[in-house]
Amino acid sequence: MVSGSWFHGPGRAVVPTTFLAATDTHIGDTVTLDGHGKAIPVRITGEVFAPHVFALATDRPGSAS
């Protein structure tokens, strides 16, 4: 972890530094994912250092609340 905290439960995500830079987002921001045609809002709770990764880690985004 570079900063923030690991996600705990649905609707939360941890992202790599590259994702934050490419999307101009920050910890605490909410991004909207596409879950098979359904818009799913996810709050960024933490940043991890993974320079060659653009994926995010989350817990069952389809059940976000």
Side-chain angles (χ1 to χ4, degrees):
M1 295 294 303
V2 173
S3 60
S5 60
W6 196 252
F7 63 88
H8 296 286
R12 307 288 187 259
V14 170
V15 300
T17 305
T18 52
F19 180 93
L20 295 174
T23 59
D24 193 29
T25 54
H26 303 88
I27 293 172
D29 288 352
T30 298
V31 295
T32 302
L33 306 178
D34 179 358
H36 302 287
K38 179 181 178 185
I40 304 167
V42 178
R43 180 172 301 247
I44 300 170
T45 62
E47 174 186 358
V48 293
F49 180 73
H52 303 291
V53 176
F54 191 74
L56 52 99
T58 187
D59 180 23
R60 297 178 21 204
S63 62
S65 55

